[in-house]
Amino acid sequence: MQFFNILVFTIRRLLGDTKNNLIKIGMPILLMSILGSALSSAFEADDYDITYVGYVNDDEGETAESILEMLSEDSTIENLIEFKEVNTLAEGQDLVRENELSAILFFGEDFSKNYNSEEEVSIEVYSSEYSGTSMIVVKNVLDSYANIVNAVNTLADAEQYEIANNFSYEEFEGINEKPLNNTNDVTSAIDYFAVTMLVFVLFYGTQYGCECIGEDYIGNIGKRIMSSPVKLSSYFAGKVTGVCIVNFIQGIVLMLVATYGYGVSWGSNLTIILLLAFCFSVLVTSIGAFICMITKDASKASSILTILVPALTFISGGFTKFDSGLIKYISPGYYVQNGIFSVIYNGSKTHILNSFAVVLGLTLVIGFITVMMGRRMAK
């Protein structure tokens, strides 16, 4: 009974703090609105521009010319690549460096000779280190052509001439157009920041965990509680559970605003998202309590969390969509965001399970250490 009394008291007390609740929920909602509007263009798909590829043909035979003619006249490739003749390799490399060409193809003088003698032959490709998507297109086209040629030669060596003659590069389309019938398949800026701001508002629940320990364990009130006949396990279990529930409710409020105010869809598996959000609420409460235990000063711990939470949110891509590299893995928010996006867009179940595993694992470890530290302080 004591557990439920403390639980209800904690929930009523925290929900009754109107000013703090408005700030805690209002700021992420405001950021969601501003970032979703300001960065909307970053989430819009650009039209694909044709890739310009130069070539230098020093081949003394006719094989290179035949390959270039076939690639240039193929209807599926002409929508992707436009070939331009260049006089020398040095000139082509300069054009690549100046971003006038995405790549340069070089056919050596012995290309036909080596090809006809069945020796291994290759097309040399030069590109910029930062060619990006354009170079991916060039590589895929050339790889596809090489695979077709190798397949035909293999069939010919096996005396499967009829199959080899019917095996044509033109049988394969360069682009398969698949329209998106469901708008939920496309992530807009507001969809993205609704998820990251949900994680952000939950992450600030670390302050509740800090206040919980600061008020009822470290301070004078804590000393009175520990010297009273109150069963400490029931008291703190009720307090922590109440804190987690209030933090979870604040996350739900943000989700409702995002859904009915901005048209954000949370997919067809809302239960999994809510479960992950609640588990994260438990984790952040544990983190807040842990830091307060280490510093033994609620005010100092609160200052640390005020800096730490936005920093970890930033490196996880919470304020702008970017990849911070390996450093993002130190932020628990990254795993939660990844899990929620996987649920919404029917992504890998492994990502979802990993998110739960990381959150629950960290909760157990940090919670255990915090409890052990608390017991030592009580002695």
Side-chain angles (χ1 to χ4, degrees), residues 311-357:
L312 292 177
T313 301
F314 175 76
I315 66 174
S316 68
F319 300 128
T320 181
K321 191 174 184 295
F322 82 112
D323 187 352
S324 59
L326 294 176
I327 194 174
K328 65 176 177 285
Y329 295 113
I330 69 173
S331 173
Y334 167 77
Y335 300 97
V336 180
Q337 287 173 196
N338 200 20
I340 293 176
F341 282 126
S342 295
V343 173
I344 294 174
Y345 299 107
N346 298 317
S348 171
K349 291 182 179 179
T350 303
H351 288 161
I352 301 172
L353 293 174
N354 285 344
S355 298
F356 276 103

Short mmCIF file of all heavy atoms in Angstrom, two decimals, residues 311-357:
data_model
loop_
_atom_site.label_atom_id
_atom_site.label_comp_id
_atom_site.label_asym_id
_atom_site.label_seq_id
_atom_site.Cartn_x
_atom_site.Cartn_y
_atom_site.Cartn_z
N ALA A 311 23.81 17.81 -25.61
CA ALA A 311 25.01 17.36 -26.33
C ALA A 311 24.81 15.96 -26.90
O ALA A 311 25.12 15.70 -28.08
CB ALA A 311 26.22 17.40 -25.40
N LEU A 312 24.30 15.05 -26.09
CA LEU A 312 24.05 13.68 -26.56
C LEU A 312 22.95 13.63 -27.61
O LEU A 312 22.99 12.80 -28.53
CB LEU A 312 23.69 12.78 -25.38
CG LEU A 312 24.82 12.50 -24.37
CD1 LEU A 312 24.30 11.67 -23.20
CD2 LEU A 312 25.99 11.79 -25.05
N THR A 313 21.97 14.53 -27.48
CA THR A 313 20.91 14.60 -28.49
C THR A 313 21.46 15.09 -29.82
O THR A 313 21.10 14.59 -30.89
CB THR A 313 19.79 15.55 -28.02
OG1 THR A 313 19.25 15.08 -26.78
CG2 THR A 313 18.66 15.63 -29.05
N PHE A 314 22.38 16.05 -29.75
CA PHE A 314 22.98 16.60 -30.97
C PHE A 314 23.78 15.55 -31.72
O PHE A 314 23.63 15.38 -32.94
CB PHE A 314 23.88 17.79 -30.62
CG PHE A 314 24.63 18.35 -31.80
CD1 PHE A 314 23.99 19.13 -32.75
CD2 PHE A 314 25.98 18.06 -31.97
CE1 PHE A 314 24.69 19.63 -33.85
CE2 PHE A 314 26.68 18.55 -33.06
CZ PHE A 314 26.03 19.34 -34.00
N ILE A 315 24.66 14.82 -31.01
CA ILE A 315 25.51 13.85 -31.71
C ILE A 315 24.72 12.66 -32.23
O ILE A 315 25.19 11.94 -33.12
CB ILE A 315 26.68 13.37 -30.81
CG1 ILE A 315 26.14 12.56 -29.62
CG2 ILE A 315 27.54 14.52 -30.37
CD1 ILE A 315 27.23 11.94 -28.79
N SER A 316 23.52 12.46 -31.71
CA SER A 316 22.67 11.38 -32.22
C SER A 316 21.83 11.83 -33.42
O SER A 316 21.06 11.05 -33.96
CB SER A 316 21.74 10.86 -31.12
OG SER A 316 20.78 11.83 -30.77
N GLY A 317 22.00 13.10 -33.84
CA GLY A 317 21.24 13.62 -34.97
C GLY A 317 19.89 14.17 -34.59
O GLY A 317 19.00 14.27 -35.43
N GLY A 318 19.73 14.56 -33.33
CA GLY A 318 18.43 15.02 -32.86
C GLY A 318 18.04 16.40 -33.34
O GLY A 318 16.87 16.69 -33.53
N PHE A 319 19.04 17.28 -33.55
CA PHE A 319 18.75 18.66 -33.95
C PHE A 319 18.97 18.92 -35.42
O PHE A 319 18.51 19.91 -35.97
CB PHE A 319 19.58 19.65 -33.12
CG PHE A 319 19.32 19.56 -31.64
CD1 PHE A 319 20.36 19.40 -30.75
CD2 PHE A 319 18.03 19.62 -31.15
CE1 PHE A 319 20.13 19.31 -29.39
CE2 PHE A 319 17.78 19.53 -29.79
CZ PHE A 319 18.82 19.38 -28.91
N THR A 320 19.71 18.04 -36.06
CA THR A 320 19.92 18.13 -37.50
C THR A 320 20.34 16.75 -37.99
O THR A 320 21.04 16.03 -37.28
CB THR A 320 21.00 19.17 -37.86
OG1 THR A 320 21.16 19.23 -39.28
CG2 THR A 320 22.34 18.83 -37.22
N LYS A 321 19.90 16.39 -39.17
CA LYS A 321 20.15 15.05 -39.69
C LYS A 321 21.58 14.96 -40.25
O LYS A 321 21.86 15.48 -41.32
CB LYS A 321 19.13 14.71 -40.77
CG LYS A 321 19.13 13.25 -41.19
CD LYS A 321 17.99 12.98 -42.17
CE LYS A 321 17.92 11.50 -42.50
NZ LYS A 321 19.11 11.02 -43.22
N PHE A 322 22.45 14.35 -39.48
CA PHE A 322 23.82 14.14 -39.94
C PHE A 322 24.41 12.94 -39.20
O PHE A 322 23.90 12.51 -38.17
CB PHE A 322 24.67 15.39 -39.70
CG PHE A 322 25.20 15.51 -38.30
CD1 PHE A 322 26.54 15.39 -38.03
CD2 PHE A 322 24.34 15.77 -37.23
CE1 PHE A 322 27.03 15.49 -36.74
CE2 PHE A 322 24.82 15.88 -35.94
CZ PHE A 322 26.17 15.75 -35.70
N ASP A 323 25.49 12.42 -39.77
CA ASP A 323 26.16 11.27 -39.17
C ASP A 323 27.40 11.76 -38.45
O ASP A 323 28.36 12.23 -39.08
CB ASP A 323 26.53 10.26 -40.26
CG ASP A 323 27.07 8.95 -39.69
OD1 ASP A 323 27.29 8.89 -38.46
OD2 ASP A 323 27.27 8.00 -40.46
N SER A 324 27.42 11.65 -37.13
CA SER A 324 28.56 12.11 -36.34
C SER A 324 29.64 11.05 -36.20
O SER A 324 30.59 11.22 -35.44
CB SER A 324 28.08 12.55 -34.95
OG SER A 324 27.44 11.48 -34.28
N GLY A 325 29.49 9.94 -36.90
CA GLY A 325 30.50 8.88 -36.85
C GLY A 325 30.33 7.98 -35.63
O GLY A 325 29.24 7.83 -35.10
N LEU A 326 31.43 7.43 -35.18
CA LEU A 326 31.38 6.47 -34.06
C LEU A 326 30.90 7.11 -32.77
O LEU A 326 30.36 6.41 -31.90
CB LEU A 326 32.78 5.85 -33.85
CG LEU A 326 33.31 4.97 -34.99
CD1 LEU A 326 34.72 4.51 -34.67
CD2 LEU A 326 32.39 3.77 -35.21
N ILE A 327 31.07 8.43 -32.63
CA ILE A 327 30.71 9.09 -31.37
C ILE A 327 29.21 9.00 -31.08
O ILE A 327 28.78 9.08 -29.93
CB ILE A 327 31.18 10.57 -31.39
CG1 ILE A 327 31.12 11.15 -29.97
CG2 ILE A 327 30.34 11.39 -32.36
CD1 ILE A 327 31.71 12.54 -29.86
N LYS A 328 28.41 8.81 -32.13
CA LYS A 328 26.95 8.75 -31.92
C LYS A 328 26.54 7.55 -31.07
O LYS A 328 25.48 7.57 -30.44
CB LYS A 328 26.21 8.71 -33.26
CG LYS A 328 26.45 7.47 -34.10
CD LYS A 328 25.59 7.49 -35.35
CE LYS A 328 25.86 6.29 -36.26
NZ LYS A 328 27.14 6.42 -36.96
N TYR A 329 27.38 6.53 -31.04
CA TYR A 329 27.03 5.32 -30.31
C TYR A 329 27.10 5.49 -28.79
O TYR A 329 26.63 4.62 -28.06
CB TYR A 329 27.94 4.16 -30.74
CG TYR A 329 27.74 3.76 -32.18
CD1 TYR A 329 28.75 3.97 -33.12
CD2 TYR A 329 26.54 3.19 -32.61
CE1 TYR A 329 28.57 3.61 -34.46
CE2 TYR A 329 26.37 2.83 -33.94
CZ TYR A 329 27.37 3.04 -34.85
OH TYR A 329 27.18 2.69 -36.16
N ILE A 330 27.68 6.59 -28.32
CA ILE A 330 27.71 6.81 -26.87
C ILE A 330 26.40 7.42 -26.38
O ILE A 330 26.18 7.51 -25.17
CB ILE A 330 28.89 7.70 -26.44
CG1 ILE A 330 28.68 9.14 -26.93
CG2 ILE A 330 30.20 7.14 -26.94
CD1 ILE A 330 29.71 10.12 -26.40
N SER A 331 25.55 7.85 -27.30
CA SER A 331 24.27 8.45 -26.92
C SER A 331 23.17 7.40 -26.90
O SER A 331 22.87 6.79 -27.93
CB SER A 331 23.88 9.56 -27.89
OG SER A 331 22.58 10.04 -27.61
N PRO A 332 22.55 7.16 -25.75
CA PRO A 332 21.44 6.17 -25.72
C PRO A 332 20.27 6.62 -26.58
O PRO A 332 19.51 5.79 -27.07
CB PRO A 332 21.07 6.11 -24.23
CG PRO A 332 21.60 7.36 -23.63
CD PRO A 332 22.82 7.71 -24.41
N GLY A 333 20.14 7.93 -26.79
CA GLY A 333 19.06 8.43 -27.64
C GLY A 333 19.17 7.94 -29.07
O GLY A 333 18.15 7.77 -29.75
N TYR A 334 20.39 7.70 -29.53
CA TYR A 334 20.59 7.21 -30.90
C TYR A 334 19.90 5.87 -31.11
O TYR A 334 19.24 5.64 -32.13
CB TYR A 334 22.09 7.09 -31.20
CG TYR A 334 22.39 6.32 -32.46
CD1 TYR A 334 22.21 6.91 -33.71
CD2 TYR A 334 22.81 4.99 -32.41
CE1 TYR A 334 22.47 6.19 -34.87
CE2 TYR A 334 23.07 4.27 -33.56
CZ TYR A 334 22.90 4.88 -34.79
OH TYR A 334 23.13 4.17 -35.94
N TYR A 335 20.04 4.98 -30.14
CA TYR A 335 19.46 3.64 -30.27
C TYR A 335 17.93 3.70 -30.23
O TYR A 335 17.26 2.95 -30.94
CB TYR A 335 19.98 2.75 -29.15
CG TYR A 335 21.47 2.58 -29.16
CD1 TYR A 335 22.28 3.38 -28.34
CD2 TYR A 335 22.08 1.67 -30.00
CE1 TYR A 335 23.66 3.25 -28.36
CE2 TYR A 335 23.47 1.53 -30.02
CZ TYR A 335 24.25 2.34 -29.21
OH TYR A 335 25.61 2.21 -29.23
N VAL A 336 17.40 4.61 -29.41
CA VAL A 336 15.95 4.75 -29.33
C VAL A 336 15.39 5.32 -30.63
O VAL A 336 14.39 4.83 -31.17
CB VAL A 336 15.56 5.65 -28.13
CG1 VAL A 336 14.04 5.80 -28.05
CG2 VAL A 336 16.09 5.06 -26.83
N GLN A 337 16.04 6.36 -31.16
CA GLN A 337 15.62 6.93 -32.44
C GLN A 337 15.65 5.88 -33.54
O GLN A 337 14.71 5.74 -34.34
CB GLN A 337 16.55 8.09 -32.83
CG GLN A 337 16.36 9.34 -32.01
CD GLN A 337 17.41 10.39 -32.33
OE1 GLN A 337 17.59 11.35 -31.58
NE2 GLN A 337 18.11 10.24 -33.43
N ASN A 338 16.74 5.14 -33.59
CA ASN A 338 16.92 4.11 -34.60
C ASN A 338 15.81 3.06 -34.50
O ASN A 338 15.25 2.61 -35.51
CB ASN A 338 18.29 3.46 -34.44
CG ASN A 338 18.75 2.73 -35.69
OD1 ASN A 338 18.26 3.01 -36.78
ND2 ASN A 338 19.68 1.82 -35.54
N GLY A 339 15.49 2.68 -33.26
CA GLY A 339 14.43 1.69 -33.05
C GLY A 339 13.07 2.20 -33.47
O GLY A 339 12.30 1.49 -34.12
N ILE A 340 12.76 3.46 -33.13
CA ILE A 340 11.46 4.04 -33.48
C ILE A 340 11.32 4.17 -34.99
O ILE A 340 10.26 3.84 -35.56
CB ILE A 340 11.26 5.40 -32.79
CG1 ILE A 340 11.16 5.21 -31.27
CG2 ILE A 340 10.01 6.10 -33.32
CD1 ILE A 340 11.06 6.51 -30.49
N PHE A 341 12.35 4.64 -35.65
CA PHE A 341 12.29 4.76 -37.12
C PHE A 341 12.11 3.38 -37.76
O PHE A 341 11.38 3.25 -38.76
CB PHE A 341 13.56 5.41 -37.66
CG PHE A 341 13.60 6.91 -37.48
CD1 PHE A 341 14.68 7.51 -36.84
CD2 PHE A 341 12.58 7.71 -37.94
CE1 PHE A 341 14.73 8.88 -36.67
CE2 PHE A 341 12.61 9.08 -37.77
CZ PHE A 341 13.69 9.67 -37.14
N SER A 342 12.76 2.38 -37.20
CA SER A 342 12.61 1.02 -37.75
C SER A 342 11.19 0.51 -37.59
O SER A 342 10.66 -0.19 -38.45
CB SER A 342 13.59 0.06 -37.06
OG SER A 342 14.93 0.40 -37.35
N VAL A 343 10.55 0.88 -36.47
CA VAL A 343 9.15 0.47 -36.25
C VAL A 343 8.23 1.20 -37.22
O VAL A 343 7.36 0.58 -37.87
CB VAL A 343 8.72 0.77 -34.80
CG1 VAL A 343 7.23 0.51 -34.63
CG2 VAL A 343 9.51 -0.08 -33.81
N ILE A 344 8.40 2.50 -37.37
CA ILE A 344 7.51 3.31 -38.21
C ILE A 344 7.59 2.88 -39.67
O ILE A 344 6.57 2.74 -40.35
CB ILE A 344 7.86 4.81 -38.08
CG1 ILE A 344 7.57 5.30 -36.66
CG2 ILE A 344 7.06 5.64 -39.10
CD1 ILE A 344 8.00 6.73 -36.40
N TYR A 345 8.82 2.66 -40.16
CA TYR A 345 9.01 2.40 -41.59
C TYR A 345 9.27 0.92 -41.88
O TYR A 345 9.85 0.57 -42.92
CB TYR A 345 10.16 3.26 -42.12
CG TYR A 345 9.85 4.74 -41.97
CD1 TYR A 345 10.50 5.51 -41.00
CD2 TYR A 345 8.89 5.35 -42.76
CE1 TYR A 345 10.21 6.85 -40.84
CE2 TYR A 345 8.59 6.69 -42.60
CZ TYR A 345 9.24 7.43 -41.64
OH TYR A 345 8.95 8.77 -41.48
N ASN A 346 8.82 0.07 -40.95
CA ASN A 346 8.94 -1.39 -41.15
C ASN A 346 10.36 -1.80 -41.50
O ASN A 346 10.60 -2.56 -42.44
CB ASN A 346 7.97 -1.85 -42.26
CG ASN A 346 6.53 -1.59 -41.90
OD1 ASN A 346 6.12 -1.83 -40.76
ND2 ASN A 346 5.75 -1.08 -42.84
N GLY A 347 11.31 -1.27 -40.72
CA GLY A 347 12.71 -1.57 -40.95
C GLY A 347 13.12 -2.89 -40.33
O GLY A 347 12.28 -3.74 -39.99
N SER A 348 14.41 -3.05 -40.18
CA SER A 348 14.95 -4.31 -39.67
C SER A 348 14.51 -4.58 -38.23
O SER A 348 14.59 -3.71 -37.37
CB SER A 348 16.49 -4.26 -39.72
OG SER A 348 17.05 -5.34 -39.05
N LYS A 349 14.03 -5.80 -38.00
CA LYS A 349 13.66 -6.19 -36.63
C LYS A 349 14.88 -6.26 -35.73
O LYS A 349 14.77 -6.07 -34.51
CB LYS A 349 12.95 -7.55 -36.66
CG LYS A 349 11.57 -7.51 -37.32
CD LYS A 349 10.90 -8.87 -37.27
CE LYS A 349 9.52 -8.82 -37.91
NZ LYS A 349 8.85 -10.14 -37.89
N THR A 350 16.04 -6.49 -36.35
CA THR A 350 17.28 -6.51 -35.58
C THR A 350 17.55 -5.17 -34.94
O THR A 350 17.98 -5.08 -33.78
CB THR A 350 18.47 -6.90 -36.48
OG1 THR A 350 18.20 -8.17 -37.08
CG2 THR A 350 19.76 -6.98 -35.70
N HIS A 351 17.30 -4.08 -35.68
CA HIS A 351 17.50 -2.73 -35.14
C HIS A 351 16.57 -2.49 -33.94
O HIS A 351 16.98 -1.88 -32.95
CB HIS A 351 17.23 -1.69 -36.22
CG HIS A 351 18.28 -1.63 -37.27
ND1 HIS A 351 18.08 -1.06 -38.51
CD2 HIS A 351 19.56 -2.09 -37.28
CE1 HIS A 351 19.18 -1.16 -39.22
NE2 HIS A 351 20.09 -1.78 -38.50
N ILE A 352 15.34 -2.97 -34.06
CA ILE A 352 14.38 -2.78 -32.97
C ILE A 352 14.81 -3.55 -31.73
O ILE A 352 14.81 -3.02 -30.62
CB ILE A 352 12.97 -3.23 -33.42
CG1 ILE A 352 12.51 -2.42 -34.65
CG2 ILE A 352 11.97 -3.08 -32.28
CD1 ILE A 352 11.23 -2.93 -35.28
N LEU A 353 15.20 -4.82 -31.94
CA LEU A 353 15.66 -5.64 -30.81
C LEU A 353 16.93 -5.07 -30.19
O LEU A 353 17.09 -5.10 -28.96
CB LEU A 353 15.89 -7.08 -31.28
CG LEU A 353 14.63 -7.86 -31.71
CD1 LEU A 353 15.02 -9.21 -32.29
CD2 LEU A 353 13.67 -8.03 -30.54
N ASN A 354 17.83 -4.56 -31.03
CA ASN A 354 19.06 -3.95 -30.52
C ASN A 354 18.74 -2.74 -29.65
O ASN A 354 19.40 -2.50 -28.63
CB ASN A 354 19.97 -3.54 -31.67
CG ASN A 354 20.67 -4.72 -32.31
OD1 ASN A 354 20.71 -5.81 -31.74
ND2 ASN A 354 21.20 -4.54 -33.50
N SER A 355 17.74 -1.96 -30.07
CA SER A 355 17.36 -0.78 -29.30
C SER A 355 16.87 -1.17 -27.92
O SER A 355 17.29 -0.58 -26.90
CB SER A 355 16.26 0.01 -30.04
OG SER A 355 16.72 0.45 -31.30
N PHE A 356 16.01 -2.16 -27.87
CA PHE A 356 15.51 -2.64 -26.57
C PHE A 356 16.66 -3.22 -25.74
O PHE A 356 16.74 -2.98 -24.52
CB PHE A 356 14.43 -3.71 -26.77
CG PHE A 356 13.06 -3.14 -26.99
CD1 PHE A 356 12.49 -3.11 -28.26
CD2 PHE A 356 12.31 -2.63 -25.93
CE1 PHE A 356 11.23 -2.59 -28.47
CE2 PHE A 356 11.05 -2.12 -26.12
CZ PHE A 356 10.50 -2.09 -27.40
N ALA A 357 17.54 -3.98 -26.38
CA ALA A 357 18.64 -4.62 -25.66
C ALA A 357 19.57 -3.59 -25.04
O ALA A 357 19.98 -3.71 -23.87
CB ALA A 357 19.42 -5.53 -26.60
#
